[in-house]
Amino acid sequence: MLTAILKAVFGTKSKRDLKRMAPLVRKINAIEVEYQKLTDEELRAKTDEFKARLANGETLDDIMCEAFAAVKNACRRLVGREIEVCGQKMVWDMVPFDVQILGGIALHRGNIAEMATGEGKTLVATMPLYLNALTGKNCQLVTVNDYLALRDSSWMGNIYNFLGISCGCLQNQQPPHVRREQYACDITYGTNSEFGFDYLRDMGMANEAAQLVQRDHYYAIIDEIDSILIDEARTPLIISGPVPMSTHQFDVLQPLVSDLYNKQNMLCSRLVREARAALSQENLSGDERENALIKLLQVKFGMPTHKQLLHVLEDGAILKELEKLETRVRSDSNRGLLQEVQGDLYFSMDEKTHEADLTDKGRKAISPNDLNAFIVPDLLSELAAIDRDETLTEAEKSAKREAFQSEFAAKSERLHDLSQLLKAYCLFEKDVNYVVQDNKVLIVDEHTGRIMPGRRFSDGLHQALEAKERVPIEQETQTMATITIQNYFRMYEKLAGMTGTAETEANEFHQIYKLDVIVVPTNRPCIRKDENDSIFKTKREKYNAILKDVIARHEKGQPVLLGTISVEDSEILSRMLKMRNIPHNVLNAKNHQREAEIVARAGQVGAVTVATNMAGRGTDIKLGPGVAELGGLHVIGSSRHDSRRIDRQLRGRCSRQGDPGSSKFYVSLEDNLMRLFGSDRIVKIFERFGLEEGDELQHPWLTKSIETAQRRVEQQHFAIRKRTLDFDDVMNKQREIIYGLRKQALLSEDPHDVLFGTIEQVVENEIQMIAAKPASETSDKSNAFDKKALVNYLNTTFPLSFKEEELTAGIGADGRLHSADELTLQIVDRIEAAYKERNADLPEEQVKYLERHTVLEAIDRLWQEHLYAMDGLRSSMSLRVYAQKDPLVEYKQEAYKIFKTLMDQIYHDVANNLFRVTVTRLATLEEILATLPQELIHQTFGQFDGGSITVTSPEFGQGTITLPPPLPGMTPEAVPQEAAEEEERGVTQMPVHRTTPKIGRNDLCPCGSGKKYKKCCGKEQ
């Protein structure tokens, strides 16, 4: 209430921002009037003038009004010209309205501009893109699909070309040299996955600077930003390669799970029949009624969407009793009762948490002869027992360990595959969550209804679906490079976005991306009539009411757009329309090729279009002749979506630019939203008024009640996305360090310095580690530096036959280490001299190739192993909950240890390979590796998950972590980690601590000579 009062008095932040922008719009319009006096050449010359002013110290804000005016004037000069867009001839008729200029200012300032459908967001983006492209940096417009990227770049490219700015477009399957040309343009259009994959290929797979395609991450405008940063935020981009050997058992286990599912279906049908028969009797005792309700509860636990169960629950009294019983059974004080109720089932499932699990009865049905098939032994304790067994020889111990580990892996794989198959059968429905086309399982986007080719569920779930549908099971893959959409776009210096629906998610945009939403008013008032929701008891009644509404409007010629939330719903309604001989177009995941064409015709007289959710998004629906007089386009929602934002998008398809239109949603108590999150208030109203079949409820309060249920789901989904980001931030920090090292090696003009900077770091770390240990027993001075240990390490790593008497720098007459730096420089200089002598006969370019690849090969190989280890770590984190520990905190601690080990391994691998890698060996290795990577997008965070975190995806957390010493030129921030206490044995040589900052051997000498330290004062030492 207080918030509403404050808004009424002071207005919203969005309105205050718009008020401050209004004078700028008037100034832009005044400048544009002056520009009308210029010739085309003089207007085009403004671009060079703006660039020169920026070079002389002016800011983008200083020239914003003039730049926006130039774009507006260019649009005015294009009016009437015939242009070609994606093979279609059209005449340019667009000049920015004042509200579009407001949107452009909001985008330039790094905000999200919420503009209604049909308000010309495509044109709005041209003004801030032109302005920011004047800096000479690559500016990007991110769209939701390749068609829109190609259409918009071709369409708006006329403005850019007129003003002397180049415009490129990324498309799938473009070769690297073409992609490089598109990024070389001032402005580049493309999809989020194209930009993200190019980044992964550049930073994670390129072996030469010439292979890089991207220039920078300066400024990006994301079209339909809610779709990309919210709907797809749980979908990391992953480049993956095949695993060395496939171990899955899906093909063997599928018949067992399928048989189990059929048994459960028959069991649930019998339980419902028995419960209905009992409840229909008169004078039923209390115990008999409770037994009947327990049978219904068993069906709800085993198959909550069972059609006979849903029919029984249409009775509000039974539904209310069942909910009370479920609360009692699930309470902590009745844990035994829950197991007893579920005991008759083969498996139980929970739609809200998106989980399914076998019961004891199900386990016995799958494995009747092996009671231990579902018991995984303790790996560590078993291995320790083998090691303690004194009756075994070392060879026998080794053989027994290997046999046990093989058995353990096979049993773990079997249990994992069973779990995924059960989830595939219970929680994923064909033509809702996925479709089968061309003998392949293809994921359906729950928000747009579009098929997502190339995307696969991770952790074996997709293979489980392939086994379920009996299509070829594709080979398993492992992660080679990955980044989430969230973290990719947070790399940009400036980020902005535009959409028709962002206000409901404003809190999430601000918390995660620091983006504010500014609601830009429409150019003409919106006169759409939004009717109250019609609520029915059953889906059957709802569908009949929808059909009646469509027929009535079709008979008078009013066009209808019928939006559904699944492919299944669209096909049911399509069949009903065919039975009544109503001509219509169907646009769903099975027919997305003609998307734009079908949606564009949806506003013609008598047109009926059935579309899943926001299919055709990005294409305006223009009314045909005479349609406005009939009431405009009528939008029908066949059910409410989980998100209010998606419903607003559907409503927004009508009444563009002041056109008439109307919208109405139909809801049934059997809809998933109402069944899982709905309010009891609506059920009580049906009971109180005794409504008969076909009767409907309508009231503004009921509509608000449904929106409250949607708000609950939105909050749940936001919590999931936030948690996903918390975990991913840990991995993101690690990725930044690794890609930073890689980029340094890749772009350095002298990779020799990078390579020997690494060698210097490795040698110094080893010296410090030896200095911190007790002296060896062979040393005659207990407090002397252990030269023997250092020589052993050096001769193992570098085949140069070091001797103890050679190591004199930094070591005093008493044998103690006084300067680790001096000793390091002496050793590195010896290594460097031998290295140069070894490569003296090789051409300089070949030596650089060798040096660069020595570093890159170690980073790439170990990083891929690290990603695999992190996947396993993330999967195990959920178990820490049982120890009353926060999985995120535990993940950060474990991730630090693994990453520290990774960095140490990279340094030591580079050192070990210094004298072992040859040009011939590298060339052969590259030929092998070039055949491995294959690009996929994995749905690693279950797109249809409810309230549970999927623990099998690479989701990484946030927080500052301590990093090991960086390579030269890298200065990652780190916080001290508490060191573990060690027992002191003997007299320990304390490590030498610097009192001044370390000077790298390739840094400029502090004496001011301008030479590198190793060539100046460092050489003297």
Side-chain angles (χ1 to χ4, degrees):
M1 179 64 74
L2 180 60
T3 304
I5 294 172
L6 291 174
K7 284 183 179 179
V9 176
F10 300 105
T12 63
K13 181 181 183 301
S14 178
K15 289 183 178 179
R16 294 195 298 272
D17 289 337
L18 290 173
K19 192 174 181 180
R20 284 192 289 267
M21 293 179 191
L24 295 175
V25 175
R26 291 192 289 271
K27 182 177 179 181
I28 291 168
N29 288 332
I31 295 173
E32 193 271 333
V33 172
E34 294 299 318
Y35 282 179
Q36 293 177 22
K37 302 172 184 176
L38 304 177
T39 64
D40 288 356
E41 291 71 22
E42 289 172 332
L43 180 64
R44 196 171 291 113
K46 285 289 180 182
T47 298
D48 294 330
E49 177 193 323
F50 295 149
K51 289 181 178 180
R53 288 166 59 183
L54 288 173
N56 291 331
E58 290 192 51
T59 66
L60 289 175
D61 289 340
D62 293 335
I63 65 169
M64 181 188 71
C65 292
E66 294 167 80
F68 277 35
V71 173
K72 181 173 182 177
N73 191 249
C75 292
R76 191 180 300 281
R77 292 169 192 250
L78 289 171
V79 170
R81 292 194 186 185
E82 186 177 80
I83 58 174
E84 185 173 315
V85 178
C86 295
Q88 301 291 323
K89 299 284 187 182
M90 59 187 298
V91 176
W92 187 277
D93 60 353
M94 296 183 295
V95 178
F97 301 122
D98 286 357
V99 291
Q100 290 175 309
I101 296 174
L102 283 173
I105 297 172
L107 293 176
H108 166 63
R109 292 180 172 178
N111 296 302
I112 295 174
E114 180 180 302
M115 302 181 69
T117 300
E119 290 297 307
K121 292 186 286 291
T122 306
L123 182 63
V124 169
T126 59
M127 291 176 276
L129 282 174
Y130 169 74
L131 172 61
N132 285 271
L134 295 172
T135 60
K137 298 178 181 178
N138 182 235
C139 297
Q140 298 164 4
L141 191 289
V142 186
T143 64
V144 292
N145 60 51
D146 275 350
Y147 168 74
L148 291 178
L150 182 62
R151 184 200 72 178
D152 293 353
S153 62
S154 174
W155 195 7
M156 299 299 112
N158 290 282
I159 300 173
Y160 306 133
N161 293 334
F162 189 92
L163 293 171
I165 292 288
S166 57
C167 178
C169 176
L170 295 175
Q171 294 284 282
N172 195 15
Q173 305 299 328
Q174 279 180 337
H177 72 276
V178 175
R179 305 180 86 82
R180 200 172 296 111
E181 292 170 1
Q182 307 310 310
Y183 281 111
C185 295
D186 298 306
I187 298 168
T188 306
Y189 283 67
T191 64
N192 57 304
S193 57
E194 294 300 326
F195 288 118
F197 276 130
D198 283 340
Y199 169 75
L200 289 178
R201 280 188 290 262
D202 278 1
M203 294 295 99
M205 303 180 72
N207 291 317
E208 297 175 3
Q211 294 177 353
L212 301 178
V213 297
Q214 289 190 335
R215 285 201 283 155
D216 45 44
H217 298 95
Y218 170 59
Y219 179 61
I221 296 176
I222 304 177
D223 192 12
E224 310 296 2
I225 191 169
D226 56 323
S227 175
I228 292 174
L229 293 191
I230 292 181
D231 298 343
E232 299 192 28
R234 295 174 288 174
T235 309
L237 301 177
I238 295 178
I239 292 180
S240 61
V243 296
M245 182 177 65
S246 180
T247 58
H248 75 76
Q249 304 173 32
F250 290 113
D251 47 352
V252 177
L253 297 173
Q254 183 272 334
L256 298 176
V257 177
S258 178
D259 182 56
L260 199 72
Y261 184 81
N262 292 331
K263 286 181 178 178
Q264 178 106 323
N265 191 21
M266 294 171 62
L267 172 64
C268 289
S269 297
R270 178 174 61 81
L271 290 171
V272 173
R273 284 199 304 271
E274 292 175 358
R276 290 180 70 176
L279 292 172
S280 63
Q281 296 178 13
E282 296 181 3
N283 303 321
L284 201 64
S285 68
D287 289 343
E288 289 174 331
R289 187 170 186 84
E290 180 162 312
N291 288 336
L293 290 172
I294 286 176
K295 289 180 180 180
L296 291 180
L297 186 60
Q298 287 177 319
V299 179
K300 188 176 182 182
F301 286 158
M303 285 188 165
T305 57
H306 196 285
K307 294 189 182 302
Q308 294 182 42
L309 173 67
L310 296 178
H311 186 64
V312 172
L313 296 184
E314 291 174 13
D315 187 324
I318 295 177
L319 175 62
K320 189 173 182 180
E321 286 184 88
L322 191 65
E323 288 176 345
K324 286 182 179 179
L325 177 62
E326 182 179 2
T327 302
R328 180 159 58 89
V329 167
R330 288 188 182 276
S331 67
D332 292 339
S333 59
N334 290 319
R335 285 188 180 275
L337 182 58
L338 177 61
Q339 294 176 352
E340 183 182 333
V341 170
Q342 294 179 344
D344 293 335
L345 302 172
Y346 293 97
F347 56 83
S348 61
M349 55 188 288
D350 189 329
E351 289 182 295
K352 285 187 179 181
T353 58
H354 214 70
E355 294 175 350
D357 190 23
L358 291 171
T359 61
D360 288 341
K361 183 177 180 180
R363 295 185 185 99
K364 290 176 183 176
I366 284 182
S367 185
N369 300 321
D370 185 3
L371 299 179
N372 294 323
F374 294 89
I375 301 175
V376 180
D378 187 341
L379 182 64
L380 295 179
S381 61
E382 290 289 339
L383 292 177
I386 294 172
D387 289 336
R388 289 194 303 267
D389 192 343
E390 297 178 357
T391 63
L392 300 175
T393 64
E394 284 302 319
E396 289 173 334
K397 286 182 180 179
S398 178
K400 196 169 182 179
R401 276 196 298 266
E402 186 175 342
F404 173 73
Q405 287 173 335
S406 298
E407 180 187 352
F408 179 86
K411 184 173 282 189
S412 299
E413 182 68 32
R414 175 184 169 85
L415 295 180
H416 173 265
D417 292 355
L418 272 173
S419 175
Q420 295 300 73
L421 274 169
L422 192 62
K423 187 180 280 191
Y425 271 92
C426 296
L427 302 171
F428 289 80
E429 190 174 345
K430 184 180 177 182
D431 288 340
V432 177
N433 307 129
Y434 65 92
V435 296
V436 178
Q437 287 186 0
D438 300 326
N439 230 18
K440 291 183 178 180
V441 172
L442 302 175
I443 298 173
V444 175
D445 188 322
E446 64 174 327
H447 296 288
T448 65
R450 291 190 180 102
I451 284 180
M452 299 188 287
R455 298 198 180 187
R456 293 177 64 81
F457 293 109
S458 71
D459 199 38
L461 178 58
H462 208 98
Q463 291 168 296
L465 290 169
E466 289 168 336
K468 171 188 173 184
E469 298 298 337
R470 300 185 181 182
V471 301
I473 300 175
E474 296 190 11
Q475 187 177 359
E476 297 166 79
T477 59
Q478 68 181 31
T479 302
M480 300 180 72
T482 176
I483 191 171
T484 59
I485 295 292
Q486 292 165 312
N487 276 320
Y488 174 72
F489 283 110
R490 291 202 299 179
M491 292 192 304
Y492 282 79
E493 290 181 41
K494 286 177 63 178
L495 187 65
M498 49 190 186
T499 179
T501 48
E503 196 173 16
T504 56
E505 313 292 344
N507 183 45
E508 180 169 352
F509 282 124
H510 181 74
Q511 283 193 35
I512 295 179
Y513 304 101
K514 301 297 183 256
L515 295 173
D516 290 328
V517 176
I518 294 181
V519 181
V520 180
T522 56
N523 184 49
R524 296 176 182 171
C526 178
I527 58 174
R528 182 182 68 236
K529 181 182 177 184
D530 295 330
E531 300 178 20
N532 291 325
D533 294 1
S534 287
I535 305 171
F536 298 86
K537 262 192 173 184
T538 67
K539 284 187 177 181
R540 182 182 67 257
E541 299 169 51
K542 179 183 74 173
Y543 288 147
N544 288 333
I546 291 173
L547 184 63
K548 184 177 178 182
D549 191 4
V550 171
I551 292 173
R553 295 179 186 276
H554 178 69
E555 286 177 350
K556 71 174 187 177
Q558 185 179 9
V560 175
L561 175 63
L562 177 51
T564 65
I565 63 170
S566 70
V567 177
E568 182 185 41
D569 284 358
S570 69
E571 293 187 339
I572 290 173
L573 288 165
S574 176
R575 286 195 297 269
M576 294 176 71
L577 290 170
K578 284 179 181 177
M579 291 173 63
R580 302 298 294 268
N581 296 319
I582 303 295
H584 62 281
N585 283 313
V586 180
L587 181 57
N588 58 34
K590 295 184 176 181
N591 185 27
H592 64 285
Q593 290 88 350
R594 297 193 298 131
E595 188 172 291
E597 178 188 349
I598 292 175
V599 169
R601 293 204 307 264
Q604 303 303 309
V605 173
V608 176
T609 307
V610 182
T612 44
N613 257 330
M614 285 313 300
R617 192 173 183 183
T619 303
D620 287 344
I621 301 176
K622 297 183 179 180
L623 300 184
V627 171
E629 289 74 20
L630 298 172
L633 177 67
H634 181 64
V635 172
I636 295 176
S638 67
S639 57
R640 283 280 193 168
H641 194 272
D642 287 351
S643 170
R644 290 171 295 163
R645 177 170 48 83
I646 305 298
D647 290 344
R648 288 183 62 207
Q649 289 168 1
L650 183 60
R651 288 192 195 275
R653 301 316 298 265
C654 64
S655 298
R656 60 178 295 279
Q657 287 291 328
D659 289 339
S662 55
S663 68
K664 184 180 180 68
F665 280 88
Y666 289 82
V667 180
S668 83
L669 298 184
E670 293 180 350
D671 292 347
N672 285 346
L673 176 70
M674 301 303 296
R675 195 165 48 82
L676 298 176
F677 299 97
S679 169
D680 293 338
R681 183 187 304 170
I682 298 175
V683 178
K684 290 177 181 176
I685 292 174
F686 269 99
E687 292 177 6
R688 184 179 304 165
F689 290 99
L691 297 177
E692 301 295 331
E693 181 170 338
D695 291 343
E696 65 177 288
L697 282 177
Q698 278 193 31
H699 197 278
W701 288 359
L702 295 179
T703 302
K704 286 184 178 180
S705 179
I706 294 171
E707 290 178 353
T708 300
Q710 290 176 304
R711 195 174 288 110
R712 290 195 198 112
V713 183
E714 289 169 359
Q715 290 168 351
Q716 188 178 51
H717 286 174
F718 172 51
I720 293 171
R721 289 191 293 267
K722 187 69 169 65
R723 188 71 168 178
T724 303
L725 187 64
D726 288 342
F727 276 90
D728 188 61
D729 276 348
V730 167
M731 193 63 189
N732 193 51
K733 291 178 184 296
Q734 298 182 2
R735 185 190 302 110
E736 287 174 3
I737 299 301
I738 292 296
Y739 283 1
L741 300 180
R742 222 183 167 281
K743 190 173 183 179
Q744 185 188 23
L746 203 61
L747 300 181
S748 174
E749 295 181 1
D750 189 359
H752 180 87
D753 287 348
V754 177
L755 178 61
F756 274 87
T758 307
I759 301 300
E760 180 184 357
Q761 189 70 63
V762 170
V763 172
E764 183 180 4
N765 288 349
E766 190 67 25
I767 290 172
Q768 293 282 15
M769 189 168 64
I770 292 173
K773 291 180 179 178
S776 66
E777 295 177 3
T778 58
S779 177
D780 55 353
K781 295 181 180 179
S782 61
N783 60 350
F785 178 74
D786 193 348
K787 288 186 181 182
K788 182 178 179 180
L790 180 59
V791 167
N792 287 339
Y793 168 77
L794 293 174
N795 288 334
T796 302
T797 308
F798 310 101
L800 299 179
S801 301
F802 281 92
K803 297 178 181 178
E804 290 185 41
E805 54 267 24
E806 295 177 30
L807 306 180
T808 58
I811 299 178
D814 58 355
R816 293 173 63 101
L817 178 66
H818 295 291
S819 174
D821 286 351
E822 292 179 19
L823 183 56
T824 300
L825 286 174
Q826 181 192 11
I827 294 170
V828 172
D829 285 345
R830 164 82 186 278
I831 296 171
E832 189 171 17
Y835 178 82
K836 288 181 177 178
E837 184 179 348
R838 169 183 178 262
N839 296 329
D841 296 333
L842 293 176
E844 183 182 355
E845 287 303 313
Q846 212 167 67
V847 173
K848 286 185 176 181
Y849 171 87
L850 187 68
E851 292 168 341
R852 181 173 285 113
H853 284 70
T854 300
V855 178
L856 292 179
E857 192 274 335
I859 293 174
D860 292 348
R861 177 172 49 80
L862 293 170
W863 176 242
Q864 289 167 22
E865 293 175 6
H866 178 74
L867 290 176
Y868 185 76
M870 293 295 285
D871 280 352
L873 175 65
R874 179 67 188 94
S875 300
S876 66
M877 280 300 104
S878 61
L879 301 177
R880 305 291 176 98
V881 175
Y882 296 110
Q884 303 298 313
K885 295 180 179 179
D886 185 343
L888 179 59
V889 174
E890 293 290 302
Y891 182 75
K892 289 178 182 180
Q893 293 173 351
E894 296 292 335
Y896 166 77
K897 297 174 185 176
I898 295 177
F899 187 63
K900 188 177 186 304
T901 302
L902 167 71
M903 297 300 291
D904 290 341
Q905 286 179 327
I906 289 175
Y907 290 143
H908 286 293
D909 268 35
V910 171
N912 282 324
N913 291 332
L914 183 66
F915 289 96
R916 294 175 174 84
V917 175
T918 64
V919 175
T920 306
R921 179 186 164 200
L922 273 175
T924 305
L925 182 64
E926 283 188 346
E927 288 178 8
I928 296 171
L929 293 178
T931 63
L932 293 182
Q934 44 181 290
E935 186 177 301
L936 294 171
I937 311 176
H938 286 261
Q939 182 104 1
T940 58
F941 191 95
Q943 172 167 317
F944 308 99
D945 288 359
S948 65
I949 298 292
T950 303
V951 299
T952 54
S953 58
E955 308 146 359
F956 314 111
Q958 67 180 3
T960 305
I961 59 173
T962 308
L963 301 174
L967 291 181
M970 295 297 296
T971 56
E973 296 181 1
V975 295
Q977 187 192 35
E978 188 175 330
E981 295 183 359
E982 298 180 357
E983 288 188 24
E984 295 186 2
R985 294 173 295 176
V987 181
T988 302
Q989 164 75 48
M990 297 303 293
V992 179
H993 297 285
R994 298 189 188 89
T995 56
T996 58
K998 172 178 169 60
I999 303 170
R1001 60 199 306 275
N1002 295 307
D1003 294 343
L1004 290 177
C1005 189
C1007 72
S1009 65
K1011 298 180 180 179
K1012 290 185 178 180
Y1013 180 62
K1014 68 180 181 182
K1015 299 291 186 183
C1016 190
C1017 298
K1019 185 175 182 182
E1020 295 171 4
Q1021 293 180 4

